[in-house]
């Protein structure tokens, strides 16, 4: 068999494959023998009919098509293996079926062409000795009162209002219908008995301000504007008019911020307001450090990826776009149990133009995340950064204790913890290898807000056979949970590190991990990679 390669944009490789005549004949004869053994011809026992009768019954075209199918599938597998090609998509045959069928002869060479997307080559630039300036995030004492006021608001009692118009801070129940600038009804922009917190940030710009001042039973026309990043692209950034009727109005009666409130809020873990304020002060300090840490990591990763050459495959970008769309739908529409399959169904039901708009919106951040992931994966390989086997075992056991009786897939949990630990190591290593100059919001030099570097890694490391360092998911470090949506059933071909967030590694949420690892086990049951099909 002869194979000719052609490099194409988008990490795609074109292949022209030529199968020698003797192999063509062997495959054809094998296909025909199988048909003879399995086709029932009237008057003969199965497998005993003459070949010519079998050919007459099934037709020579079917035999040829079956032989071609077997020939191409085998040739594609062997070509990918012999050329050491690491595909990320199925092989796409580009020669037309009619052309292949017309050229097929059992005594002649058989050739066809196609292409496949491959794992991209990563050409790193400088990733050590970089000097970067990062703005330190400092804790703002006002955040303590903001948190306290938020809790008071959540515990407020709603008291009916009848003797005054609506004002900011109230809770209104309204019916509304939206119209575009031409006066046509807007799809999905209508509701009845809709409960609305009258806060300016609670709804699209102008809507709440329009409701303020309305009296019970009043109907008013309100002008508003959808945000530029509104999830329904056809409405994003556009003005609209709403016919709004106010049915019910309540004001919030806030509880007193006293020791009794604190004890109830914290389930008796804290007894005084001062204790809670002290706790919150420490919490916002920690949050500020985490934000500073993330800012430093982002600066390092941005500097590295700017110097790294990667030709991203479209299929990898599309997968990341789908993940972002899923996250957006979870956040905006409240679909907390949305799976990737649900997103795919949603996208299939949307008009093609809407799908293109959605993907275009998320493409920049998808590409950025992939470039970061692939760059970090290459650094891990070049610097041979690994996770200590004892360290990994202890982390898994610690997480299992936190999970308690919740049933999880231990293998998947181990993979998740590998991701977490390896990500921490490579990011810590990069911090040590580069120089960060910290400044305040005004650009004045300040001290580093970060803790001292972690101790050196253990000499005992997991062997390559036990652990592939390419399989890292750090997406949920920012939110202190682990998201296993991107952890494949078979991780041996995954070579990227997910770097949505790489700073906040100080705490774990065992129950969140348990839930997500369990969901991953359910959603990926039965998944398997299949050989290319020439049909």
């Amino acid at each position: 068999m002869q194979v000719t390669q052609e490099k194409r944009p988008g990490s795609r490789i074109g292949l022209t494959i030529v199968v020698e005549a003797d192999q063509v004949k062997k495959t054809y004869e094998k296909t025909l023998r199988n048909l003879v053994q399995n086709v029932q011809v009237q008057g003969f026992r199965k497998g005993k009919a003459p070949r010519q009768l079998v050919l007459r019954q099934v037709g020579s075209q079917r035999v040829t098509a079956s032989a071609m199918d077997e020939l191409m599938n085998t040739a594609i597998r062997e070509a990918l293996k012999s050329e050491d090609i690491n595909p990320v998509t199925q092989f796409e045959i580009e020669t037309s079926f009619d052309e292949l069928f017309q050229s097929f002869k059992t005594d002649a060479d058989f050739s066809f062409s196609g292409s496949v997307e491959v794992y991209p080559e990563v050409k790193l630039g400088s990733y050590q000795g970089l000097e970067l300036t990062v703005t330190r995030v400092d804790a703002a004492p006002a955040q303590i009162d903001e948190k306290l006021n938020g809790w008071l608001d959540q515990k407020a009692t709603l008291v009916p209002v009848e003797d005054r118009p609506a004002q900011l801070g109230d809770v209104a129940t309204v019916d509304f219908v939206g119209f575009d600038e031409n006066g046509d009804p807007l799809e999905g922009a209508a509701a009845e008995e809709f409960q609305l917190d009258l806060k300016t940030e609670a709804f699209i710009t102008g809507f709440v301000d329009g409701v303020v001042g309305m009296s019970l039973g009043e109907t008013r026309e309100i002008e508003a504007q959808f945000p530029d990043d509104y999830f329904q692209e056809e409405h994003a950034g556009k003005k609209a008019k709403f016919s709004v009727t106010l049915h019910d109005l309540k004001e919030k009666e806030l509880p007193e911020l006293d020791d009794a409130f604190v004890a109830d809020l914290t389930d008796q873990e804290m007894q005084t307001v001062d204790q809670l304020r002290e706790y919150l002060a420490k919490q916002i300090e920690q949050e500020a450090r985490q934000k500073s840490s993330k800012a430093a990591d982002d600066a390092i990763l941005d500097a590295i990826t700017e110097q790294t050459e990667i030709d991203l495959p479209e299929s990898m970008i599309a997968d990341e776009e789908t993940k972002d769309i899923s996250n957006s739908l979870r956040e905006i529409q409240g679909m907390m149990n949305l799976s990737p399959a649900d997103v795919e169904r949603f996208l299939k039901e949307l008009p093609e133009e809407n799908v293109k708009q959605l993907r275009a919106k998320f493409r920049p951040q998808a590409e950025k995340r992939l470039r970061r992931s692939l760059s970090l994966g290459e650094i891990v390989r070049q610097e041979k950064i690994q996770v200590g086997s004892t360290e990994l075992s202890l982390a898994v056991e610690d997480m299992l204790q936190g999970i308690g009786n919740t049933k999880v897939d231990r293998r998947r949990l181990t993979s998740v913890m590998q991701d977490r630990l390896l990500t921490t190591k490579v990011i810590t290593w990069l911090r040590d290898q580069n120089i960060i100059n910290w400044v305040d919001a005004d650009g004045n030099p300040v001290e580093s807000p970060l803790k001292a570097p972690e101790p050196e890694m253990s000499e005992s490391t997991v062997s390559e056979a036990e652990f592939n360092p390419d399989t890292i998911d750090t997406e949920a470090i920012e939110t202190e949970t682990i998201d296993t949506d991107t952890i494949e059933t078979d991780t041996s071909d995954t070579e990227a590190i997910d770097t949505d967030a790489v700073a906040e590694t100080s705490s774990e949420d065992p129950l969140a991990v348990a839930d997500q690892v369990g969901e991953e086990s359910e959603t990926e049951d039965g998944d398997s990679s299949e050989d290319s099909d020439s049909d």
Side-chain angles (χ1 to χ4, degrees):
M1 184 174 70
Q2 300 175 8
V3 181
T4 304
Q5 281 196 40
E6 174 198 3
K7 283 193 174 182
R8 301 181 184 177
S11 289
R12 182 173 284 274
I13 290 181
L15 295 180
T16 298
I17 302 173
V18 180
V19 183
E20 286 81 1
D22 61 337
Q23 186 59 46
V24 175
K25 186 173 183 179
K26 287 178 183 179
T27 302
Y28 182 85
E29 290 296 326
K30 178 184 175 183
T31 302
L32 186 54
R33 283 197 304 273
N34 288 338
L35 286 171
V36 168
Q37 292 170 4
N38 292 286
V39 172
Q40 182 72 57
V41 178
Q42 189 173 2
F44 295 90
R45 286 180 295 165
K46 184 181 290 188
K48 298 300 181 180
R51 290 174 50 155
Q52 292 304 317
L53 285 179
V54 173
L55 272 171
R56 187 184 304 167
Q57 179 163 315
V58 302
S60 60
Q61 291 186 345
R62 176 181 169 184
V63 179
T64 298
S66 297
M68 284 170 49
D69 187 67
E70 172 67 22
L71 197 65
M72 288 189 288
N73 281 328
T74 302
I76 290 167
R77 286 195 299 269
E78 293 179 356
L80 294 177
K81 183 176 180 181
S82 66
E83 298 296 308
D84 196 24
I85 293 173
N86 183 13
V88 295
T89 59
Q90 288 193 337
F91 188 87
E92 297 177 15
I93 296 173
E94 296 170 350
T95 310
S96 71
F97 180 81
D98 287 342
E99 183 180 345
L100 291 172
F101 194 84
Q102 294 298 325
S103 65
F104 184 87
K105 293 182 176 57
T106 58
D107 58 354
D109 292 350
F110 178 72
S111 66
F112 62 97
S113 299
S115 63
V116 65
E117 285 186 351
V118 298
Y119 191 84
E121 181 183 3
V122 180
K123 296 180 180 178
L124 288 170
S126 298
Y127 58 89
Q128 300 181 68
L130 303 173
E131 188 166 355
L132 307 165
T133 299
V134 180
T135 301
R136 187 178 72 183
V137 178
D138 293 318
Q143 290 178 280
I144 297 175
D145 288 328
E146 289 176 6
K147 288 180 179 288
L148 291 172
N149 291 335
W151 286 324
L152 291 170
D153 189 73
Q154 291 174 13
K155 297 289 186 178
T157 302
L158 296 181
V159 180
V161 174
E162 297 179 352
D163 58 352
R164 64 166 174 80
Q167 61 186 30
L168 288 175
D170 289 343
V171 177
T173 302
V174 299
D175 293 347
F176 65 85
V177 179
F179 302 89
D180 62 20
E181 293 178 287
N182 298 321
D184 298 321
L186 288 171
E187 185 178 352
E192 294 181 353
E193 299 294 316
F194 183 80
Q195 193 172 78
L196 176 66
D197 243 346
L198 295 186
K199 300 176 181 178
T200 53
E201 71 277 8
F203 216 57
I204 64 174
T205 303
F207 193 96
V208 170
D209 291 339
V211 174
V212 170
M214 290 182 64
S215 300
L216 287 174
E218 180 184 350
T219 298
R220 178 183 293 185
E221 188 176 272
I222 294 172
E223 292 187 357
Q225 183 168 357
F226 291 98
D228 293 335
D229 60 349
Y230 195 64
F231 74 100
Q232 289 181 292
E233 290 287 330
E234 64 272 22
H235 300 334
K238 294 182 179 179
K239 294 181 178 180
K241 291 184 178 180
F242 290 85
S243 176
V244 182
T245 300
L246 177 62
H247 291 298
D248 188 48
L249 190 64
K250 292 183 173 68
E251 64 180 352
K252 293 181 178 180
E253 191 174 273
L254 301 181
E256 288 292 326
L257 178 59
D258 53 20
D259 293 348
F261 174 81
V262 171
D264 180 63
L265 178 71
T266 63
D267 198 21
Q268 306 300 320
E269 289 189 15
M270 298 181 197
Q271 299 297 322
T272 68
V273 175
D274 288 341
Q275 281 182 309
L276 181 56
R277 284 187 175 277
E278 182 181 354
Y279 169 81
L280 289 176
K282 293 178 180 178
Q283 185 183 64
I284 64 173
E285 284 286 350
Q286 182 183 11
E287 289 173 354
R289 282 195 301 271
Q290 290 174 340
K291 290 177 181 178
S292 294
S293 178
K294 185 177 185 305
D297 297 337
D298 285 342
I300 293 172
L301 291 171
D302 287 343
I304 290 171
T305 53
E306 282 177 6
Q307 303 177 59
T308 302
E309 295 181 20
I310 310 173
D311 193 6
L312 294 175
E314 281 298 321
S315 60
M316 293 181 74
I317 298 173
D319 287 345
E320 290 298 306
E321 290 168 353
T322 300
K323 183 199 299 185
D324 287 338
I325 293 170
S326 174
N327 292 337
S328 177
L329 290 174
R330 283 194 186 104
E331 183 178 335
I332 297 175
Q333 299 181 337
M335 299 180 181
M336 301 309 294
N337 295 317
L338 202 64
S339 70
D342 292 328
V343 177
E344 288 297 336
R345 282 192 293 271
F346 171 77
L347 293 178
K348 286 177 181 177
E349 293 173 0
L350 280 178
E352 184 177 351
E353 187 58 34
N354 294 78
V355 175
K356 287 181 180 178
Q357 290 175 347
L358 272 176
R359 292 199 176 278
K361 173 183 176 181
F362 289 110
R363 187 180 181 96
Q365 66 191 54
E367 289 186 357
K368 180 179 181 179
R369 186 165 57 248
L370 279 172
R371 292 185 186 281
R372 285 183 169 192
S373 301
L374 296 167
S375 298
L376 272 187
E378 185 63 21
I379 292 171
V380 166
R381 280 186 290 277
Q382 291 192 15
E383 300 299 331
K384 298 180 174 59
I385 298 173
Q386 296 184 343
V387 174
S389 56
T390 301
E391 180 183 17
L392 177 61
S393 298
L394 289 173
V396 171
E397 291 304 321
D398 185 56
M399 184 61 68
L400 287 172
Q401 289 182 12
I403 289 171
N405 296 326
T406 305
K407 185 177 179 181
V408 298
D409 186 324
R410 187 185 180 100
R411 180 181 64 83
R412 293 185 185 280
L413 178 59
T414 300
S415 177
V416 169
M417 297 312 298
Q418 285 173 343
D419 293 348
R420 174 63 64 90
L421 293 172
L422 184 56
T423 300
T424 301
K425 285 185 179 296
V426 65
I427 292 298
T428 300
W429 185 88
L430 284 171
R431 287 180 190 166
D432 293 341
Q433 302 303 313
N434 296 285
I435 301 169
I436 298 176
N437 298 317
W438 291 95
V439 297
D440 61 19
D442 297 323
N444 302 311
V446 292
E447 292 184 358
S448 169
L450 305 183
K451 297 178 181 178
E454 295 292 330
E456 290 294 321
M457 66 184 74
S458 168
E459 290 291 327
S460 173
T461 55
V462 182
S463 69
E464 281 189 22
E466 295 172 302
F467 175 43
N468 180 354
D470 300 330
T471 59
I472 303 179
D473 179 0
T474 65
E475 179 180 2
I477 295 179
E478 183 174 10
T479 55
E480 300 180 357
T481 61
I482 299 177
D483 180 2
T484 59
D485 281 350
T486 57
I487 300 177
E488 303 295 334
T489 304
D490 176 8
T491 59
S492 60
D493 291 334
T494 307
E495 303 186 26
I497 298 177
D498 189 347
T499 57
D500 271 1
V502 290
E504 301 177 22
T505 59
S506 60
S507 61
E508 304 283 358
D509 184 347
L511 292 180
V513 174
D515 290 342
Q516 293 174 359
V517 172
E519 288 171 8
E520 180 66 16
S521 298
E522 293 175 6
T523 57
E524 294 194 356
D525 260 355
D527 286 355
S528 62
S529 59
E530 298 179 0
D531 292 330
S532 301
D533 191 343
S534 62
D535 285 345

